[in-house]
Amino acid sequence: MARVNVDTPAAGKNAIAAEKNRRLFRENHVFVMNMIGSPGCGKTSILEYTAENSNVRCAAIVGDVKTALDADRILDRNMPAYPIETGGGCHLTAVQIGSMLTRIDLCKTDCLFIENVGNLVCPSVFDLGEDIKTGVLSVPEGDEKVRKYPELFSRTDVVFINKTDLLPHCEYDMEKIERDCRTARPGVKIFKVSATKGLGFEDWARYLEMNRKEQQNGK
Ligand SMILES: Nc1nc2c(ncn2[C@@H]2O[C@H](COP(=O)(O)OP(=O)(O)OP(=O)(O)O)[C@@H](O)[C@H]2O)c(=O)[nH]1
Ligand SMILES: [Mg+2]
């Protein structure tokens, strides 16, 4: 079985780049969320909804193995979005994020989203310099994902449970998954939403606004 050994020179390089990114984010008072979830769980759809419905000054770095399709979707909703093609890599690295930061007007950004490559495993162990890791789950994936991917969910301060509009069509124990999230990460904030139907985003809007105020107080 292939394993990712994170105790390597490459990991050391990543840690140094992550610290550099973090310093830049702090200096510019930018709140950074690293969004991690399976392919198709709705990461881009949540950002599209946010772009259309929030006044908070946001930008996104969007990682995909190939194409800039997701960054284009976000740009179409008037949120600045910067694609990174990993060319086969299953996660973003802090070096890749650092190379994008000269292109982003951090002074005019309160919240930066990093949409990681769709994957519940590798992105969870790579620090990008973010403030928080955000897990994105969706109802049709099934309600055992938190237990099956504990590395990620032990590190997520925010979890979206997306595609709640599909609850009537799926066997999904919402109470169980919420309990699993809280066991894995006590204090985690959980937003239950439907990105395509625009449902359940009230708490998310308040959370973003609270962070905007905190960042702007520092600017
Ligand atoms: N029914 C339903 N479909 C949704 C919802 N959110 C997203 N989708 C659909 O799910 C599919 C994948 O959504 P994306 O936003 O592209 O997912 P993603 O996580 O960004 O996918 P990758 O970037 O490929 O990992 C699209 O067809 C969306 O329209 C939702 O709340 N309800
Ligand atoms: Mg996407």
Side-chain angles (χ1 to χ4, degrees):
M1 184 170 58
R3 285 178 187 272
V4 175
N5 180 4
V6 293
D7 188 20
T8 61
K13 199 169 150 198
N14 190 76
I16 291 165
E19 276 318 307
K20 198 169 158 203
N21 294 346
R22 198 178 336 272
R23 224 175 304 127
L24 209 52
F25 296 143
R26 296 234 164 107
E27 278 166 16
N28 287 280
H29 300 278
V30 183
F31 182 65
V32 183
M33 300 180 74
N34 179 3
M35 303 185 69
I36 302 172
S38 310
C41 63
K43 299 177 292 298
T44 309
S45 302
I46 289 168
L47 295 181
E48 287 178 303
Y49 177 89
T50 303
E52 284 187 326
N53 293 280
S54 172
N55 294 323
V56 176
R57 297 178 303 177
C58 298
I61 295 175
V62 186
D64 260 309
V65 169
K66 194 89 188 139
T67 81
L69 289 170
D70 288 3
D72 288 344
R73 282 166 57 189
I74 295 165
L75 265 176
D76 281 349
R77 268 94 182 160
N78 294 321
M79 186 191 289
Y82 304 86
I84 294 178
E85 266 194 3
T86 65
C90 56
H91 62 88
L92 289 171
T93 67
V95 175
Q96 289 167 329
I97 299 299
S99 70
M100 275 291 149
L101 295 184
T102 49
R103 297 174 53 187
I104 304 177
D105 193 348
L106 293 174
C107 293
K108 293 192 179 143
T109 305
D110 296 320
C111 186
L112 175 66
F113 301 108
I114 300 172
E115 179 181 334
N116 221 311
V117 179
N119 183 332
L120 286 171
V121 183
C122 311
S124 61
V125 292
F126 282 84
D127 182 11
L128 304 180
E130 73 271 8
D131 288 286
I132 64 164
K133 288 186 174 33
T134 303
V136 183
L137 294 162
S138 68
V139 167
E141 290 168 47
D143 58 18
E144 72 299 293
K145 290 295 171 291
V146 176
R147 290 187 189 193
K148 289 171 78 167
Y149 298 92
E151 280 286 342
L152 172 60
F153 291 97
S154 66
R155 296 160 197 235
T156 48
D157 290 309
V158 165
V159 170
F160 281 95
I161 302 175
N162 187 35
K163 309 196 186 183
T164 53
D165 55 296
L166 299 179
L167 278 168
H169 312 288
C170 301
E171 293 222 349
Y172 196 82
D173 188 338
M174 187 63 86
E175 280 180 18
K176 182 179 93 174
I177 200 131
E178 287 189 69
R179 209 167 41 242
D180 288 348
C181 286
R182 295 189 204 290
T183 302
R185 183 79 168 175
V188 61
K189 286 196 183 340
I190 300 172
F191 301 119
K192 294 179 273 183
V193 300
S194 166
T196 48
K197 303 273 187 230
L199 300 172
F201 281 97
E202 299 79 7
D203 288 348
W204 168 237
R206 276 191 284 276
Y207 178 83
L208 261 189
E209 180 58 21
M210 184 193 73
N211 276 302
R212 181 191 69 79
K213 282 191 182 142
E214 275 179 27
Q215 301 310 318
Q216 289 203 340
N217 281 342
K219 279 196 204 268

